[in-house]
Amino acid sequence: MILDKELIIWDKQADKIVRNTKNLYVPNFNRYQPMLAVSHVDNNGDTDIMYFELQLEDLFNWRYADTEERYYDTLYRETVNQIKPDDESKYLSWDRKPVKKKPCFWNKKLGGQLTIDLDSLNLTDSRMYEIIYDYDPTKVKTAPLYRLNKPKTLFWDIEVQVDDPRIFPDAKTTPGVVNCISFCHHPNVTTFGNKPLTEQEIFNIERDINKHLHTEGSKVTDTYKFKYVYIENEVELILKFLMEVKKFTAFTGWNTDEYDWPYILNRLIAKSKMIPTKENVDKIINNIFNNMTPLGGVTKSFNRDRDILVPNVRHKLNYDYMKVYRAYDRQIKFKENYSLDYTADRALGIKKVQHSLGFKELYEQDYYSYILYSAVDPIIVEQIDKQLKTADIMYTLGNLTGVEPHLTLRRVLTAEKTLLQYIYPKNLVFPLVFRNEKESTGSTDYEGAFVYNPVPGMYKYMLSFDFASLYPSTIREFNISPDTLIGVDKASRHAYLNSGDVVYDPHKHGTAPEKHQIKTASGAIYTNEYKGILPEMLNFYYNERVKFKDLMKVAKQNAWDIEEEIRKREKQKI
């Protein structure tokens, strides 16, 4: 399972990665070697990295052939086309238009010699996939990248100082200190707290943790060992926790994207006493996470959604379990809300540690219960994962589509990456298109689907039709795909709706389609001269789905047979 893909520069002489490549121009790769580092989860759940050495002819992004070209672009194309004759001409864009290779770097003449600006190297993610595929189309040498290994995961949660019982501290303004952080990976749970506890209290907390987990009706069978570390200084507490995070391939918690991560990062920024400009924020966060990544270097991004600080550490998997649960869980059918307390009750038969005091009073008057409450929370998330296996769905989907697991929540990106796996072996590519080259940079409105208006009233007979995989079946039937779309007969839909006819007739309503065309009731016209990339992909997944549904039926029957055999033997014993 791929975790991340990164373009790096390897200094052969110093035998290390060069991170500062500003003003570094080279005529060749004799010393500085561009490489593609692809991280994945190994058999032990740890991060492993596979390296691909890149040559000059690999360092390009696809562009449409009719786009503007600079002098150095032409020079590059002439050079690589001599290395790989006719290679460029055999490829087409996804919509079957001519494409060309554009260097993914800037050139500069120094001393009359053409040099490459290493700091400007920038391969698209699609191009990285193509490089991996070209290296090993059979996926034999690159097999470790596609093994579905589950990452070693740390579950964590923070507690913060509450000064006003009526207002819980906001993650952006962070008025209160982070007074404890709890994290677990079975069988261990640890809490870093800013008040001391006695050895007896620590022993009793471990006892009460397991007592809470094994209350009547609980589905939890695991037991945990508890460790407490007293750290008075807030910054030291946070940084020591981050060093613990470094030991794991993945880290997650409940609502960590929206609260825990932005809170601790904003606290560190506030403690640095630097003016929180974007440049300073980038510098602070990179200094924090530089040592957490296997290869060092900056994090991939800091902001997701509503301008909230969330680190996306390179070659690690950082995700919010609540978001994954909301997106992928199908075991708990009806969800009143997404609170951890409610979810734990539904999934495990237990709730969070209950207390009658507010957080301010609990911290000040009953620190023992405060730490017990904190320590149980990440355990609950880990046990929810063990019971529901929701993250496994994310891992499987990421592995199938070639998308980093946490990015599967971005549906369009997942669809694009999945399509890429089908089109590239057919010599079709996704060219790079810049925003200012698009026909419209603003939002585009699309006409929605036709919804038949029901006639209110009482009816004696009612029929309900449930079509198997309606949308995928429709796409496959009419060869609906971006690359097969010819145009739209706008008059067709209106002619059909105004005709009063029940059944749509493409030859009667609007302009009749030609011999190798398919016209739908919306007026959209598609070619059927070749199979579209979308129907072809759906054919594969539809057939796989049918196959695995049959296997699932067999597995359920086998499980039932085993249970029945056990019951028979128990009766015989009696």
Side-chain angles (χ1 to χ4, degrees), residues 382-419:
E382 183 174 31
Q383 289 300 316
I384 288 173
D385 178 60
K386 182 179 178 181
Q387 184 70 29
L388 301 181
K389 296 180 171 56
T390 314
D392 289 5
I393 299 172
M394 176 182 69
Y395 301 146
T396 304
L397 185 59
N399 201 48
L400 280 171
T401 59
V403 178
E404 290 88 331
H406 66 285
L407 296 180
T408 60
L409 295 172
R410 294 163 60 178
R411 307 302 195 201
V412 174
L413 175 67
T414 305
E416 286 177 351
K417 293 295 182 62
T418 308
L419 284 169

Side-chain angles (χ1 to χ4, degrees), residues 17 20 33 54 90-91 165 277-278 299 341 435 487 520:
I17 295 173
N20 184 10
Q33 177 64 58
L54 303 178
K90 75 179 184 182
Y91 289 93
T277 61
K278 186 181 185 305
T299 60
D341 197 45
R435 183 178 292 274
T520 64

Side-chain angles (χ1 to χ4, degrees), residues 280-311:
N280 286 340
V281 169
D282 290 355
K283 185 184 295 184
I284 293 166
I285 294 178
N286 281 318
N287 287 339
I288 293 168
F289 291 99
N290 180 59
N291 293 324
M292 287 181 61
T293 67
L295 301 179
V298 300
T299 60
K300 216 174 187 179
S301 64
F302 312 130
N303 299 290
R304 293 182 194 161
D305 303 329
R306 302 186 309 278
D307 196 31
I308 292 176
L309 287 171
V310 180

